[in-house]
Amino acid sequence: QVQLEESGGGLVQPGGSLRLSCATSRSMDSIYSMAWYRQVPGKQRELVAVIISGGSTSYADSVKGRFTISRDNAKNTMYLQMNSLKPEDTAVYYCNARIDLGPLYKDYWGQGTQVTVSS
């Protein structure tokens, strides 16, 4: 079992920055990957960024060069630094943790945090 708690969302003007945090109840060493997803009403949840246990990262094309995913294993916390925010980044952002159970994976989700980019 993994509990995830997001924080750091809010209202920001276009061009501004926010940093999201996701605290986990489980050691990062036992988590295969962690990721940020986002969802707007009426649309599917989409992958924003992912960080694998070895440290490699991947980003959606729409956020490359603007967002940075990172983690602090000592604090069991993952971050998403969001710069140069655009109105189209407005969404509920969800933290995801994937546990490797051998042939299967199990996903855990946070409750979500709202990010609104508006002037």
Side-chain angles (χ1 to χ4, degrees):
Q1 190 76 6
V2 181
Q3 293 180 328
L4 305 172
E5 184 172 356
E6 301 108 333
S7 61
L11 173 65
V12 64
Q13 291 187 341
S17 299
L18 280 176
R19 188 177 80 157
L20 305 183
S21 300
C22 174
T24 75
S25 62
R26 185 166 171 165
S27 169
M28 290 270 189
D29 294 336
S30 64
I31 297 176
Y32 170 72
S33 68
M34 294 197 70
W36 289 98
Y37 286 74
R38 66 187 181 187
Q39 189 171 24
V40 297
K43 291 190 175 181
Q44 284 190 326
R45 193 171 294 188
E46 65 170 354
L47 177 65
V48 175
V50 60
I51 184 165
I52 310 297
S53 58
S56 61
T57 59
S58 182
Y59 297 89
D61 287 343
S62 59
V63 306
K64 280 181 182 176
R66 299 188 298 122
F67 291 10
T68 303
I69 190 170
S70 63
R71 67 183 185 200
D72 185 333
N73 287 359
K75 295 182 178 180
N76 291 337
T77 301
M78 175 182 65
Y79 304 98
L80 184 68
Q81 179 65 44
M82 305 185 293
N83 298 328
S84 302
L85 282 160
K86 304 176 181 180
E88 51 264 43
D89 295 318
T90 296
V92 177
Y93 284 70
Y94 295 92
C95 173
N96 165 271
R98 175 163 289 185
I99 307 299
D100 186 352
L101 300 177
L104 299 174
Y105 290 101
K106 185 170 178 62
D107 285 318
Y108 295 88
W109 297 92
Q111 80 286 355
T113 185
Q114 176 72 45
V115 171
T116 301
V117 184
S118 175
S119 54

